Amino acid sequence: MTFAISAEVIDPETLKARLAAARAGACVSFEGWVRDHNDGEPVTALEYETHAELAVKEGEKVLAEACARFDIALAACVHRVGLLKIGECAVWVGASAEHRGAAFDACRYIIDEIKQRLPIWKKEHYANGASAWVNCATPAAPAPARLSAANQTP
Amino acid sequence: MTFAISAEVIDPETLKARLAAARAGACVSFEGWVRDHNDGEPVTALEYETHAELAVKEGEKVLAEACARFDIALAACVHRVGLLKIGECAVWVGASAEHRGAAFDACRYIIDEIKQRLPIWKKEHYANGASAWVNCATPAAPAPARLSAANQTP
Amino acid sequence: MVEVTAQYFAAFRERAGCERERLATRSSTAQELYAELADRHGFLDAAARCKVAINGEMARWDTRLASGDTVLFFPPVAGG
Amino acid sequence: MVEVTAQYFAAFRERAGCERERLATRSSTAQELYAELADRHGFLDAAARCKVAINGEMARWDTRLASGDTVLFFPPVAGG
């Protein structure tokens, strides 16, 4: 039951090998790949930022919840940070179990919770040179000269 | 969308690489591993037999159904045949999609259908030297001297 | 009477002690032939849990047999 | 008045133009401090969609601030 943040390329086979257990007959794994677009906008790269300590703490909590809720043998998750190219693996989740139902349910639970709860942010770089933090209303660009534009409007 | 029967060890990374698509942001894969027991009985090895031609035909039908039902990019499945040891991968299923929901649903649909519909049979070898065909009421042992025991009872 | 080839897999092959056999039968459908062969060889699985293929295609149990047919008997499957 | 350190991540860091800042504030809760800083820096995300951590632990928005606290402001997350 390990969660990790990694600045290096994720290696699914090594991670999956750690889920092996003699009683495990099923292993379900999920990979999140960097797509070439989002909402119709062409994307050239993704940048992930995290608060590693709190992300690991919350990630391990999610894995423990999955173990309590579903009859699984082992589960693990690794999330990348830094600059990723199209097609690279941004997140890997794996769960092994005696029977496949629990492995599917646990894997899905883990990725759903990881996406919602962990302090991880994703910046998209677009073909036109612009960039934006996904899900954020606050613009990526700094406020000019540290003056808040919002404060200047009457 | 390819289904294959393989007498060689399954290599998940090579198979998964074929599911890559620029629009795919999610990949879910399932592996069935040979367990060390079944219904409490210690298992030492598994033997898979198939009618390859009909298994491939039905397997490709299952993959086509998954593509029609779920919004996926690509899907594939490979099933092993022959003698397998504990921990070996007996079946691999993978599905890539723009969003993870469809990838999970398709992967699960494929393995559920593969297990029910394909002409594939599994013989368990037990620690005590016995063996049995899984799901079969008909005993593995040949009827003595090709006389049907069932016919001899009054 | 029709002359057909019966082909056995997995538990059926081991139980029958052969992969295939030619036979002349009064059975008119695949299901009747299965009942006949189950009786002869001691196959214990209900037809409803088994599958049948005729001349290389999956078939229904009520398919009528014709001379020269190759009938494949599949015991309950267990892939995965 | 309490003296706290505010720490920013991702969009908030870029928007504020700094990773952290020390400040004296009349805000009594994390949520009030967020409103104050959002106003100053132009953070446009509702607190309900953001998260806050105090001294290395995730915290509730209604947590009262004490002098010396380090308050981490997390914009809406987007892992995976």
Side-chain angles (χ1 to χ4, degrees):
Chain A
M1 303 298 153
T2 52
F3 177 86
I5 293 288
S6 170
E8 309 297 320
V9 168
I10 290 174
D11 174 9
E13 283 310 292
T14 304
L15 295 167
K16 203 167 52 192
R18 293 191 205 135
L19 301 181
R23 74 175 182 97
C27 180
V28 173
S29 55
F30 170 84
E31 293 183 22
W33 294 342
V34 178
R35 282 184 299 162
D36 67 350
H37 70 282
N38 189 20
D39 284 337
E41 198 70 38
V43 171
T44 54
L46 276 191
E47 207 177 328
Y48 283 95
E49 177 177 334
T50 189
H51 184 293
E53 192 191 323
L54 288 176
V56 168
K57 201 179 277 186
E58 192 74 6
E60 285 178 347
K61 213 162 127 185
V62 168
L63 292 174
E65 288 164 12
C67 287
R69 279 173 193 237
F70 308 104
D71 188 14
I72 57 175
L74 292 162
C77 176
V78 176
H79 202 297
R80 269 292 293 280
V81 286
L83 197 68
L84 277 77
K85 295 190 289 282
I86 303 299
E88 274 199 273
C89 179
V91 57
W92 179 91
V93 178
S96 64
E98 205 160 328
H99 300 292
R100 68 187 183 282
F104 271 105
D105 292 344
C107 188
R108 189 153 190 175
Y109 176 81
I110 294 165
I111 186 61
D112 286 352
E113 297 297 309
I114 293 289
K115 279 177 173 257
Q116 277 176 42
R117 290 163 47 180
L118 270 59
I120 296 176
W121 304 278
K122 173 161 63 179
K123 190 187 205 174
E124 289 179 341
H125 294 271
Y126 304 110
N128 64 8
S131 63
W133 290 96
V134 175
N135 289 350
C136 287
T138 300
R146 302 216 38 213
L147 290 172
S148 164
N151 279 349
Q152 309 311 310
T153 51
Chain B
M1 304 299 152
T2 51
F3 177 87
I5 293 288
S6 170
E8 309 297 320
V9 169
I10 290 174
D11 174 8
E13 283 310 292
T14 305
L15 295 167
K16 203 167 52 192
R18 291 192 206 135
L19 301 181
R23 74 175 182 95
C27 179
V28 173
S29 55
F30 169 85
E31 292 182 22
W33 293 341
V34 178
R35 283 185 298 163
D36 68 349
H37 69 285
N38 189 19
D39 284 336
E41 198 70 38
V43 171
T44 54
L46 276 190
E47 207 177 327
Y48 283 95
E49 175 177 334
T50 189
H51 184 294
E53 191 191 324
L54 288 176
V56 168
K57 201 181 274 185
E58 193 74 5
E60 286 179 344
K61 212 162 129 184
V62 168
L63 292 174
E65 287 165 13
C67 288
R69 279 174 193 235
F70 308 104
D71 189 13
I72 57 175
L74 291 162
C77 177
V78 176
H79 202 297
R80 270 291 294 278
V81 287
L83 196 68
L84 277 77
K85 294 190 290 283
I86 304 299
E88 275 199 272
C89 180
V91 58
W92 179 91
V93 178
S96 65
E98 206 160 327
H99 301 292
R100 68 187 182 283
F104 272 105
D105 293 344
C107 189
R108 189 152 189 175
Y109 175 82
I110 293 165
I111 186 61
D112 285 352
E113 297 297 309
I114 292 289
K115 278 176 173 259
Q116 278 176 41
R117 290 163 47 179
L118 269 61
I120 297 176
W121 303 278
K122 173 162 63 180
K123 191 188 203 175
E124 289 179 341
H125 294 269
Y126 304 110
N128 64 8
S131 63
W133 290 97
V134 176
N135 291 349
C136 287
T138 301
R146 304 216 36 216
L147 289 172
S148 163
N151 278 349
Q152 308 312 310
T153 51
Chain C
M1 295 285 277
V2 290
E3 285 225 357
V4 300
T5 301
Q7 201 172 334
Y8 305 119
F9 293 84
F12 289 169
R13 186 193 60 250
E14 291 191 354
R15 185 67 178 170
C18 65
E19 275 191 34
R20 66 178 71 211
E21 55 185 340
R22 286 188 59 86
L23 46 97
T25 178
R26 285 205 158 71
S27 295
S28 59
T29 65
Q31 181 145 14
E32 281 176 35
L33 180 58
Y34 176 71
E36 179 187 333
L37 294 169
D39 203 44
R40 184 186 307 171
H41 293 303
F43 300 158
L44 301 182
D45 294 283
R49 303 196 64 236
C50 302
K51 289 190 170 73
V52 64
I54 300 177
N55 304 329
E57 299 282 348
M58 297 307 300
R60 294 165 44 117
W61 279 114
D62 61 6
T63 307
R64 298 192 70 80
L65 301 176
S67 271
D69 280 351
T70 296
V71 188
L72 284 60
F73 293 102
F74 294 163
V77 301
Chain D
M1 294 285 277
V2 291
E3 285 224 357
V4 300
T5 301
Q7 201 171 335
Y8 306 119
F9 293 83
F12 289 170
R13 186 192 63 251
E14 291 191 355
R15 185 68 178 170
C18 65
E19 274 190 34
R20 65 180 71 210
E21 58 185 339
R22 286 187 60 86
L23 47 95
T25 179
R26 284 207 157 71
S27 296
S28 60
T29 64
Q31 180 145 16
E32 281 176 37
L33 180 58
Y34 176 71
E36 179 187 332
L37 295 168
D39 203 43
R40 184 186 307 169
H41 295 301
F43 301 158
L44 302 181
D45 294 283
R49 302 196 64 236
C50 302
K51 289 191 170 72
V52 64
I54 300 177
N55 304 329
E57 298 282 349
M58 298 307 300
R60 293 165 46 116
W61 280 114
D62 60 5
T63 307
R64 298 192 70 81
L65 300 176
S67 271
D69 280 351
T70 296
V71 188
L72 285 59
F73 294 101
F74 294 162
V77 302

